[in-house]
Amino acid sequence: MTKKCILVVEDEQAIREMIAFGLHRAGFEVVQAESSQQARERIADRLPDLIVLDWMLPDLSGLEFARSLRREEMAGRVPIIMLTARSQEDDRVGALDSGVDDYMTKPFSARELVARIKAVLRRTAPEGDSDEVSANGLVMNLASHRVTANDKLVELGPTEFRMLRFFMTHPDRVYSRGQLLDHVWGGNVFVEERTVDVHVLRLRKALARTGHDRFVQTVRGAGYRFSIAE
Ligand code: CA
């Protein structure tokens, strides 16, 4: 299993390094940022598995940063643990409202933080909680985002990847376009239902070389289904 990558965003160097040290020791890969701006750059370089985000940052506050991330397609899916000072405890509700997965009040020990991180990662893990899903020669590695069909690499855009992941983890059931929008795009974005068809087409095209496109089935008047049954 590949190491999970945690992005630690905290401007106070001593605290950031204490956290990084504890996470390293617990077997995580750690990337550090001292501002929201720097965090953006780190995320662009590599999408982390979880973000530990301090509320008080020199530029954008952690709360505003979390809100802006939530509007993004890929980064919006990364779980966030917010670090708050005791004086901000009243604002925790606001933090949870903005899509933060958990929060910790300073001071805390690295051991407590590691336990919280593991709990959040377990809770937010893709369905099945295994690194790989496969169906008839189609193999999707959820950690590395690598998809192969009969051992040939399949190139997928981010939306097609999430769509295929949803299909493969929820096989043999029909989903309407509206349901697919909720599950694949997330409920609070405005996308027309027709967009679903466009991405289904792209997904089929990517899978056509090996004939796996036939598993992505149209159910007339209802929606789509992923099934390896012919
Ligand atoms: Ca701070």
Side-chain angles (χ1 to χ4, degrees):
M1 192 159 156
T2 47
K3 277 190 182 180
K4 298 280 187 199
C5 175
I6 313 293
L7 171 62
V8 179
V9 191
E10 161 67 276
D11 57 318
E12 279 161 85
Q13 191 183 353
I15 298 178
R16 192 175 66 241
E17 284 175 358
M18 180 275 280
I19 294 172
F21 180 76
L23 297 189
H24 267 301
R25 223 174 32 179
F28 293 107
E29 215 170 290
V30 184
V31 175
Q32 302 182 31
E34 51 187 53
S35 64
S36 299
Q37 177 57 36
Q38 228 179 53
R40 281 237 162 262
E41 292 161 16
R42 302 282 185 272
I43 292 169
D45 285 344
R46 180 186 173 178
L47 197 66
D49 294 291
L50 183 143
I51 302 170
V52 174
L53 179 61
D54 188 43
W55 185 299
M56 295 296 283
L57 292 170
D59 45 1
L60 214 54
S61 80
L63 192 63
E64 289 170 297
F65 184 57
R67 284 202 180 115
S68 74
L69 277 184
R70 283 295 178 249
R71 289 194 285 269
E72 289 174 30
E73 191 171 303
M74 293 301 285
R77 305 252 153 190
V78 178
I80 296 173
I81 295 180
M82 182 86 90
L83 307 181
T84 66
R86 204 158 284 284
S87 59
Q88 291 152 344
E89 279 206 329
D90 290 344
D91 299 326
R92 286 186 307 202
V93 177
L96 291 171
D97 274 352
S98 70
V100 166
D101 297 86
D102 203 354
Y103 60 85
M104 288 204 82
T105 306
K106 293 177 182 176
F108 53 83
S109 69
R111 181 199 292 259
E112 282 175 279
L113 181 61
V114 166
R116 291 292 185 92
I117 287 175
K118 286 183 175 166
V120 169
L121 286 175
R122 260 198 309 276
R123 204 168 70 212
T124 56
E127 288 82 357
D129 199 22
S130 113
D131 262 11
E132 229 170 65
V133 283
S134 65
N136 260 38
L138 189 59
V139 179
M140 169 171 259
N141 187 298
L142 301 173
S144 67
H145 283 205
R146 202 179 133 92
V147 178
T148 58
N150 300 344
D151 299 321
K152 292 188 189 76
L153 194 65
V154 179
E155 302 272 5
L156 292 178
T159 304
E160 286 72 45
F161 176 85
R162 281 185 288 112
M163 181 178 268
L164 183 62
R165 178 172 68 191
F166 178 73
F167 275 142
M168 290 184 76
T169 52
H170 300 79
D172 301 309
R173 266 192 63 182
V174 183
Y175 290 93
S176 69
R177 288 169 179 79
Q179 286 173 320
L180 287 172
L181 280 179
D182 279 352
H183 289 293
V184 177
W185 277 261
N188 46 15
V189 285
F190 182 76
V191 187
E192 284 183 74
E193 295 204 343
R194 247 177 346 140
T195 308
V196 175
D197 302 328
V198 172
H199 288 279
V200 166
L201 272 179
R202 282 191 202 156
L203 176 59
R204 282 194 180 131
K205 203 170 161 192
L207 299 175
R209 194 158 56 127
T210 48
H212 287 89
D213 54 321
R214 69 181 188 279
F215 299 153
V216 182
Q217 301 165 355
T218 304
V219 181
R220 201 173 282 275
Y224 295 101
R225 167 181 63 204
F226 181 87
S227 178
I228 57 169
E230 302 291 323

